[in-house]
Amino acid sequence: RFAQFFLCPLFDESCKDREVNAVDSEHEKNLMNDAWRLFQLEKATGNQDHPFSKFGTGNKLTLETRPCKEGIDIREELLKYHSTYYSSNLMGLCVLGRESLDDLTAMVVKLFGEVENKNVPVPEFPEHPFQEEHLRQFYSVVPIKDIRNLYVTFPIPDLQKHYKSNPGHYLGHLIGHEGPGSLLSELKSKGWVNTLVGGQKEGAKGFMFFIINVDLTEEGLLHVEDIIFHMFQYIQKLRTEGPQAWVFDECKDLNNVAFRFKDKERPRGYTSKVAGLVHYYPLEEILAAEYLLEDFRPDLIEMVLDKLRPQHVRVAVVSKSFEGQTDKTEEWYGTEYKQEAISEESLEKWASADLNGKFKLPMKNEFIPTNFEIYPLEKDSPSVPTLIKDTAMSKVWFKQDDKFFLPKACLNFEFFSPFAYVDPLHCNMAYLYLELLKDSLNEYAYAAELAGLNYDLQNTVYGMYVIVKGKKER
């Protein structure tokens, strides 16, 4: 029945109405979601003649009310769209099952083999939606929730074809690093930000974005221009140092370990993801393509770095403090915002960003494992954890892996304290203590997390719970 949808769908009138209502209901749900609101605002402030600027989801107005007023037969338009674009060369299919590959192939060919290949040209958009007139703009945006965020965006070319060198990943690894000497470390030390994310963001075939997003503190909201100045200082540091082969090799090793020992994913999500990847990677590399780093290309890294300059920047600051100070409203979500050109003074200051002595490249990651030896299963190994240490202060249980046979270890520690949950004050103090502890460990623990060694701290009714898991060598 699923295959028939692609071959000869009914497009029943009542089903059409039901689906329009479902899309409208989904849109109504998203109206109060800041992520959706900001995404549509980004589209609305670019080139309005570019397909990127269109309303991303649709609602009853665009899918029914307006077309009906214009005398458009919606069902007929759906049939026309299906006959034009439902072509096998534009589709990706992934089937997962316990059957052999031959059996799965036979099943797919039987069910989907008749889907016509109409050789429809694959849509590409070589022109970027952010042209010269959309750059060097500052947006003050009012959110729904009481959040404070800074979004710094640069238009960059589509880097998809360079997936084996992935210059955007290289730069995102460095700009988004959280260890000592990083951009985040310096901004946190000044009390301006809590978190930072940096890296490439997909647009469509033909264009991408490079983003640096931070979660601002109240103090940071007063130092937005200084924060951006520090960003350009760090970017200047990367230009001065030049592309580093050892950083690329480290990213390559991290990807190799992540792919080799990745956990199984839920079938529905995994097949959906792989079906989408069919459009971007060669079929023989599809399962590993996102992890492949093989070609160190300093020229591509320098090309992307050259795009990260003040004359190409777009800045958006999101805060409730802008209420009553805006003069524009986005059409589909009603987002209130104000748009201003960034002053020449600010652009010149950012362009002249000098080297900051506090910024350093990351140290080599000592947590990347190299020994993947798996110890043989002990004879008569118990099927349940065994008590191997029992003292007045502690008890230790151990169980050797007898199912997955992976070089991974999982350690769980539970600390008991009668004061942890004695009253609301102690409960909240315990929670705050662990949050502060995690924040203080972040610079050291970040390199470990990159290498797949993770930890968590939780306050419980009885005290504190510590979980550490990752490659057993580390």
Side-chain angles (χ1 to χ4, degrees):
R1 291 176 63 184
F2 178 67
Q4 291 305 306
F5 176 80
F6 301 96
L7 295 170
C8 49
L10 298 176
F11 284 114
D12 184 78
E13 192 72 31
S14 64
C15 293
K16 180 265 296 179
D17 295 338
R18 188 168 65 243
E19 189 58 30
V20 167
N21 288 331
V23 172
D24 188 67
S25 177
E26 187 78 12
H27 172 65
E28 288 292 320
K29 174 182 69 68
N30 294 336
L31 283 174
M32 306 301 282
N33 185 305
D34 282 313
W36 279 102
R37 295 166 70 87
L38 292 169
F39 178 50
Q40 186 61 42
L41 181 60
E42 182 178 49
K43 292 155 71 72
T45 53
N47 179 5
Q48 293 306 289
D49 295 327
H50 196 288
F52 178 75
S53 70
K54 292 183 179 180
F55 182 21
T57 57
N59 60 9
K60 197 156 188 170
L61 173 65
T62 61
L63 298 175
E64 184 176 86
T65 307
R66 187 183 290 171
C68 287
K69 282 184 179 179
E70 296 174 358
I72 297 173
D73 186 325
I74 301 168
R75 181 175 182 275
E76 194 60 39
E77 288 298 314
L78 288 170
L79 289 168
K80 190 187 302 182
Y81 186 92
H82 179 273
S83 66
T84 303
Y85 292 107
Y86 272 57
S87 172
S88 63
N89 75 299
L90 296 182
M91 298 180 183
L93 175 66
C94 176
V95 175
L96 186 150
R98 295 181 181 276
E99 295 82 359
S100 69
L101 288 176
D102 288 341
D103 290 343
L104 289 174
T105 301
M107 185 191 309
V108 168
V109 170
K110 177 182 176 182
L111 295 174
F112 294 92
E114 293 182 19
V115 176
E116 185 181 353
N117 182 2
K118 302 169 186 175
N119 293 307
V120 179
V122 178
E124 291 193 27
F125 310 94
E127 183 178 289
H128 205 287
F130 294 157
Q131 294 297 306
E132 183 67 20
E133 63 269 27
H134 309 113
L135 306 178
R136 302 179 298 282
Q137 299 296 308
F138 189 100
Y139 301 90
S140 305
V141 186
V142 178
I144 296 296
K145 293 183 178 179
D146 189 10
I147 56 176
R148 295 177 300 273
N149 295 114
L150 166 63
Y151 299 92
V152 177
T153 304
F154 303 88
I156 61 172
D158 188 356
L159 303 174
Q160 181 58 45
K161 63 183 178 182
H162 303 300
Y163 67 95
K164 289 188 179 180
S165 52
N166 210 337
H169 176 78
Y170 173 97
L171 290 172
H173 172 76
L174 294 176
I175 293 173
H177 207 278
E178 299 180 15
S182 66
L183 175 60
L184 176 63
S185 177
E186 176 64 8
L187 295 177
K188 282 183 73 174
S189 72
K190 292 182 176 294
W192 292 345
V193 312
N194 295 312
T195 60
L196 182 149
V197 175
Q200 67 186 35
K201 184 176 78 169
E202 288 185 9
K205 278 184 178 290
F207 65 91
M208 281 184 171
F209 312 93
F210 195 94
I211 60 167
I212 308 175
N213 300 341
V214 300
D215 172 29
L216 296 167
T217 64
E218 291 183 11
E219 183 68 18
L221 192 59
L222 305 175
H223 291 274
V224 167
E225 289 206 13
D226 294 324
I227 292 171
I228 298 173
F229 179 75
H230 279 69
M231 290 179 181
F232 283 114
Q233 280 188 320
Y234 193 85
I235 291 169
Q236 184 60 30
K237 171 72 174 176
L238 298 183
R239 288 197 188 98
T240 303
E241 294 285 348
Q244 302 288 312
W246 73 265
V247 174
F248 180 86
D249 290 339
E250 193 168 273
C251 291
K252 178 179 178 180
D253 291 340
L254 290 169
N255 279 13
N256 287 341
V257 171
F259 177 74
R260 182 176 175 183
F261 300 107
K262 71 192 297 285
D263 294 327
K264 284 189 176 181
E265 301 177 44
R266 292 182 179 274
R268 186 171 68 175
Y270 183 65
T271 51
S272 176
K273 181 182 77 172
V274 172
L277 297 179
V278 168
H279 300 291
Y280 297 99
Y281 301 105
L283 199 59
E284 63 273 13
E285 296 177 347
I286 203 85
L287 299 182
E290 291 184 301
Y291 298 86
L292 293 178
L293 278 178
E294 297 177 357
D295 307 321
F296 178 52
R297 293 281 303 276
D299 59 317
L300 292 177
I301 295 170
E302 290 173 344
M303 179 272 289
V304 178
L305 261 179
D306 194 51
K307 303 293 182 183
L308 310 186
R309 296 186 182 275
Q311 61 263 38
H312 302 142
V313 76
R314 286 167 54 93
V315 177
V317 179
V318 180
S319 170
K320 284 281 192 182
S321 66
F322 297 129
E323 288 182 329
Q325 303 176 32
T326 59
D327 55 8
K328 293 185 178 182
T329 303
E330 191 277 319
E331 179 181 4
W332 299 110
Y333 289 83
T335 306
E336 297 177 351
Y337 70 102
K338 183 177 183 178
Q339 178 178 348
E340 303 171 279
I342 299 173
S343 70
E344 286 299 324
E345 181 184 356
S346 295
L347 292 171
E348 289 174 8
K349 178 183 176 182
W350 296 341
S352 62
D354 53 353
L355 292 178
N356 186 329
K358 295 182 179 180
F359 289 142
K360 312 287 183 186
L361 290 182
M363 294 181 290
K364 293 192 176 182
N365 194 332
E366 62 185 23
F367 293 100
I368 299 177
T370 56
N371 178 14
F372 303 108
E373 178 187 0
I374 298 174
Y375 297 123
L377 194 64
E378 294 180 1
K379 189 177 181 181
D380 301 323
S381 177
S383 59
V384 295
T386 303
L387 184 64
I388 60 173
K389 182 178 181 181
D390 188 358
T391 70
M393 294 295 293
S394 66
K395 294 180 185 292
V396 179
W397 284 266
F398 172 77
K399 183 185 183 302
Q400 188 176 7
D401 173 24
D402 58 0
K403 183 177 181 180
F404 300 102
F405 299 104
L406 293 172
K408 293 184 179 182
C410 183
L411 293 81
N412 297 274
F413 305 88
E414 189 162 15
F415 297 88
F416 293 89
S417 169
F419 302 106
Y421 215 72
V422 69
D423 56 34
L425 175 62
H426 283 75
C427 178
N428 282 286
M429 292 290 279
Y431 172 78
L432 288 172
Y433 168 74
L434 292 182
E435 290 301 305
L436 290 169
L437 180 57
K438 284 191 279 190
D439 188 64
S440 67
L441 290 172
N442 185 66
E443 285 193 3
Y444 177 75
Y446 181 74
E449 290 179 11
L450 285 177
L453 181 58
N454 300 293
Y455 82 100
D456 191 22
L457 298 168
Q458 303 169 3
N459 62 312
T460 70
V461 175
Y462 305 106
M464 178 175 73
Y465 203 64
V466 182
I467 304 169
V468 181
K469 54 185 177 180
K471 310 301 177 292
K472 66 177 179 59
E473 179 191 4
R474 300 302 181 190

